[in-house]
Amino acid sequence: MIGGYDAPVISNPQIILTMKFKLIDLPYAKDALEPVMSEETVSLHHGKHLNGYVNTLNKLIEGTAFEDKCLKSIVKEAEGKMYNQAGQILNHNLFFLQLRPKDEAKKAPTGKLLEAIEKEWGSFEDFKQKFQEEAAGLFGSGWAFLVADKDGKLSIDKGSNAYNPITEGLCPLMTADVWEHAYYVDYRNVRADYLKALWEIIDWKTIEEWYAEPEQAVKCACKASKAE
């Protein structure tokens, strides 16, 4: 078992030695997010979908100008399939790192982050409602984010497929995956129910730490996939 999933058998050990990126290690057990997110969903989401993006990106960058670049640089500079794989890795890492078991997650922000949220939306509950509406309304597959600009001003950002706010000069703080593989097993096609339940496992302590240094979220997400 590696990183909470059954690792595939690799016949050529040199592949391991030359891997640039690795699958993120989850900071909790695969069944720890139940009942919001089932063990089956986490296993498929992390061990199949995200693992596939990691393996594909490692193959795509081999022998290219991106071979020695960090994940953030690839997302900001690459195009096409390479951008999509890198963006999906960065987004998934942000998503998984912000989650904690229901009985451990800090359910609401405090301090400066709460003040910033209240400044933009009036209250935390109003922010949650607006975020759910924006994320549920995104057509097709994609991502929704709470982001900060260089001055710490907050906004809600969203985009299709592998979109990440760093391409627009924004710092992601909270991330909602609205690809169907994130919720179909547990909620079928009812995205709104999944988004409503997700608040129970989002850890605002982690997001507060990221808001104190907005670029820290991406740094943590990139470091989590850097192969040793």
Side-chain angles (χ1 to χ4, degrees):
M1 297 285 287
I2 298 177
Y5 75 104
D6 295 317
V9 176
I10 301 176
S11 58
N12 182 0
Q14 282 300 112
I15 294 177
I16 298 176
L17 296 176
T18 57
M19 253 189 356
K20 176 73 174 181
F21 301 105
K22 70 179 182 68
L23 181 66
I24 184 177
D25 294 320
L26 296 176
Y28 36 76
K30 289 186 292 184
D31 63 352
L33 303 180
E34 294 182 340
V36 176
M37 194 176 294
S38 67
E39 180 177 359
E40 181 181 3
T41 289
V42 174
S43 296
L44 289 170
H45 199 172
H46 173 261
K48 180 180 179 180
H49 291 283
L50 178 52
N51 194 38
Y53 299 131
V54 173
N55 290 337
T56 300
L57 182 62
N58 279 321
K59 294 175 183 176
L60 288 174
I61 62 174
E62 188 174 354
T64 73
F66 294 98
E67 189 169 27
D68 294 318
K69 292 200 173 185
C70 68
L71 187 61
K72 179 180 178 181
S73 294
I74 297 174
V75 173
K76 294 186 74 171
E77 299 171 21
E79 298 178 348
K81 188 173 183 180
M82 189 181 294
Y83 164 80
N84 287 332
Q85 306 305 307
Q88 287 289 71
I89 295 169
L90 180 57
N91 290 353
H92 278 93
N93 287 2
L94 289 165
F95 178 73
F96 284 124
L97 286 174
Q98 73 183 349
L99 303 181
R100 291 296 182 274
K102 188 175 180 179
D103 60 351
E104 296 179 16
K106 182 179 181 181
K107 300 295 196 298
T110 55
K112 292 183 178 180
L113 178 56
L114 178 58
E115 291 175 8
I117 287 174
E118 291 176 338
K119 181 178 180 180
E120 295 301 324
W121 293 282
S123 71
F124 179 54
E125 289 303 315
D126 286 342
F127 158 71
K128 288 168 63 176
Q129 182 63 36
K130 183 62 175 177
F131 188 91
Q132 285 176 209
E133 291 173 359
E134 292 287 340
L138 179 63
F139 182 77
S141 300
W143 299 83
F145 304 87
L146 170 66
V147 299
D149 67 13
K150 60 182 179 61
D151 298 316
K153 179 179 170 59
L154 300 178
S155 60
I156 295 170
D157 193 26
K158 62 182 181 180
S160 299
N161 301 319
Y163 171 76
N164 186 284
I166 64 172
T167 59
E168 303 295 328
L170 299 169
C171 297
L173 300 173
M174 191 200 83
T175 307
D177 185 346
V178 291
W179 279 69
E180 204 167 62
H181 65 241
Y183 57 88
Y184 189 81
V185 170
D186 302 321
Y187 302 91
R188 293 300 183 256
N189 64 332
V190 188
R191 182 187 289 182
D193 286 354
Y194 152 73
L195 291 167
K196 184 177 180 179
L198 195 60
W199 299 113
E200 293 295 311
I201 55 174
I202 291 176
D203 181 35
W204 287 92
K205 180 177 183 295
T206 297
I207 298 168
E208 285 172 358
E209 292 171 355
W210 288 346
Y211 182 62
E213 185 185 341
E215 293 187 1
Q216 186 65 22
V218 170
K219 289 179 182 177
C220 290
C222 290
K223 183 178 179 181
S225 274
K226 186 177 180 181
E228 299 298 330

